[in-house]
Amino acid sequence: MKKVLKTGGWVLVGLFVIYTFYFLWKQSQPAPVVYELVKPEQRDILQQTIATGTLEARNQVELKPQITGVVTSLRVQAGQTINAGDLVATIRVIPDMNQLTQAQSSVESARIALDEVIREAARTQRLFDKGVVSQEENEQQQNRLATAKDNLKAAEAQVEVIKRGSSDRAGNVNTTEVRSTMRGVVLNVPVKEGTSVSGSSAFSQGTTIATVADMKDIIFHGNIDETEVAKLHTGMKVTLIPGSMQNVKIPATLDYISPEGTLVNGAKMFELKATATIPEGVEIRSGYSVNANITLSEARQALSISETCVEFENGKAYVYRLTSAEKDVENQKWERVPVELGISDGVYVVVKSGVSETDRLRGIQRM
């Protein structure tokens, strides 16, 4: 009995030792490398580039006064729709003393010249009546008289314009009124009643009274890096996504690419413009920042795979196709297959040849 127990004990010890060695050997063996299986599928692949910019009206004007003065009344406010010719503001003239003095001097000079011409015309008329001078000379003197009278009226009208912004000689022209030159929406009114404004001239841009834009004709105005501009051409499809409305997609068509780049923060940027078609019910405000997705090329329902499946060597593309049973995860076997690739959207790439939908390809390694 003791011998049996002793033998059984040694057997247990032996089994324990064998299991221990097996366990240590098993632990020392590397774990099988297992890869995710990727199935080629039919997808729509769009190759796009992104440009940033804003939405703005194609036609936008700044309304400025023609004279220097003070705003006495404002007839519009931001957001209001106005028509061409509508009164925007009224300006009270503040005469420029230098201009007024010069204009008054011109009036005096014109009056003195007229008096002299009147005397000369009267003398010539008397001589003509006596037959001393010819009719032609008399008519010339009468023309000088008419010219002198007109010069005086012009000088007096200039004084009126400087004093009150208009004159009887100018008729309906009134420089004290600022009127809209187009139909549109008032974007902003940067002045208030009582604000001093300067008139636009050859030497000054003048003070903006209001900005008016046609918000029915919206364009995308943005820039793109020089590395992407060579891929673009007018007529390309553009999808605009406003930063404030991520769920809204606005279709547009690229219609302008600047022929000259501008250096911005060390990079050459090219100006882009695209005509937008605003969807029904979407309200657009001028200045919205947007991302423009420009479609460079597209493939509809093309066989494609994840780019993680592809490796490159000597300029050629390869994938690894599963040759073992799909369920035998720990003993995966692969064969290297050359493939011909098409366009890529950065995640998936079109496969023109080399694999089929029934193949299973090697993806990323499982952790």
Side-chain angles (χ1 to χ4, degrees):
M1 186 64 181
K2 290 181 178 180
K3 187 176 181 181
V4 173
L5 292 174
K6 186 177 181 180
T7 302
W10 282 110
V11 170
L12 292 174
V13 171
L15 291 174
F16 178 75
V17 171
I18 293 173
Y19 175 78
T20 300
F21 277 104
Y22 174 77
F23 177 79
L24 294 174
W25 174 81
K26 191 71 174 177
Q27 290 294 107
S28 65
Q29 296 300 309
V33 179
V34 179
Y35 294 91
E36 292 184 356
L37 299 181
V38 176
K39 177 184 177 181
E41 295 180 357
Q42 301 285 341
R43 296 183 180 89
D44 291 338
I45 304 297
L46 301 178
Q47 190 175 39
Q48 297 180 323
T49 186
I50 297 178
T52 58
T54 58
L55 291 177
E56 58 187 46
R58 185 189 304 275
N59 298 317
Q60 180 172 312
V61 297
E62 294 181 345
L63 304 179
K64 301 175 183 290
Q66 297 179 352
I67 58 172
T68 297
V70 174
V71 178
T72 57
S73 68
L74 284 172
R75 302 297 182 88
V76 298
Q77 58 184 357
Q80 179 180 343
T81 299
I82 59 177
N83 296 312
D86 285 354
L87 181 62
V88 174
T90 303
I91 310 298
R92 177 169 58 84
V93 179
I94 299 179
D96 183 284
M97 295 311 297
N98 290 331
Q99 292 182 354
L100 181 58
T101 301
Q102 291 176 3
Q104 289 173 337
S105 297
S106 298
V107 170
E108 292 302 321
S109 298
R111 184 174 288 114
I112 293 171
L114 176 60
D115 291 341
E116 182 178 351
V117 173
I118 289 175
R119 290 192 298 271
E120 186 65 25
R123 187 178 67 83
T124 304
Q125 182 65 43
R126 289 194 299 272
L127 294 176
F128 173 72
D129 294 339
K130 294 179 180 180
V132 177
V133 297
S134 66
Q135 181 178 355
E136 180 181 0
E137 185 176 352
N138 185 52
E139 289 177 350
Q140 290 177 351
Q141 191 61 42
Q142 294 299 321
N143 290 336
R144 294 191 189 99
L145 176 60
T147 301
K149 290 180 179 180
D150 188 68
N151 290 339
L152 177 58
K153 291 181 179 180
E156 291 173 340
Q158 182 64 26
V159 172
E160 291 180 23
V161 170
I162 294 174
K163 285 184 175 181
R164 57 188 181 91
S166 63
S167 67
D168 295 334
R169 185 183 178 89
N172 294 328
V173 178
N174 191 340
T175 58
T176 62
E177 294 180 347
V178 179
R179 296 183 178 273
S180 177
T181 58
M182 64 176 289
R183 173 180 171 79
V185 177
V186 179
L187 297 185
N188 64 76
V189 183
V191 299
K192 299 179 180 179
E193 291 186 3
T195 302
S196 296
V197 295
S198 60
S200 58
S201 65
F203 307 101
S204 173
Q205 293 185 351
T207 304
T208 299
I209 300 295
T211 303
V212 181
D214 180 6
M215 296 305 293
K216 293 183 178 180
D217 187 6
I218 300 297
I219 64 170
F220 164 77
H221 186 193
N223 295 281
I224 195 167
D225 189 85
E226 62 179 333
T227 58
E228 300 287 343
V229 72
K231 304 174 185 178
L232 307 182
H233 60 81
T234 56
M236 298 181 77
K237 297 178 182 179
V238 182
T239 301
L240 307 176
I241 303 177
S244 59
M245 298 182 291
Q246 292 293 320
N247 59 333
V248 174
K249 294 184 178 180
I250 302 173
T253 303
L254 188 64
D255 51 24
Y256 174 78
I257 305 171
S258 174
E260 182 181 12
T262 304
L263 192 63
V264 179
N265 296 328
K268 277 286 186 179
M269 305 297 289
F270 288 79
E271 182 184 22
L272 301 178
K273 292 181 181 179
T275 301
T277 303
I278 307 302
E280 192 71 28
V282 176
E283 183 180 0
I284 296 299
R285 300 181 185 276
S286 182
Y288 270 165
S289 60
V290 296
N291 288 330
N293 296 330
I294 306 173
T295 301
L296 302 177
S297 56
E298 60 183 354
R300 298 293 179 181
Q301 291 301 299
L303 188 65
S304 60
I305 60 174
S306 172
E307 289 202 350
T308 58
C309 300
V310 185
E311 67 174 32
F312 294 90
E313 183 178 322
N314 297 327
K316 295 183 178 180
Y318 298 89
V319 297
Y320 286 87
R321 181 165 54 196
L322 183 69
T323 58
S324 59
E326 187 173 339
K327 295 182 179 180
D328 189 4
V329 177
E330 295 187 355
N331 296 290
Q332 293 176 331
K333 304 296 182 183
W334 311 94
E335 67 171 338
R336 195 181 191 210
V337 180
V339 292
E340 182 183 358
L341 303 179
I343 65 173
S344 169
D345 62 3
V347 178
Y348 297 100
V349 59
V350 173
V351 181
K352 294 182 178 180
S353 64
V355 298
S356 65
E357 291 187 58
T358 59
D359 292 334
R360 296 297 178 267
L361 307 180
R362 191 176 79 178
I364 61 175
Q365 182 178 339
R366 292 182 181 176
M367 301 302 293

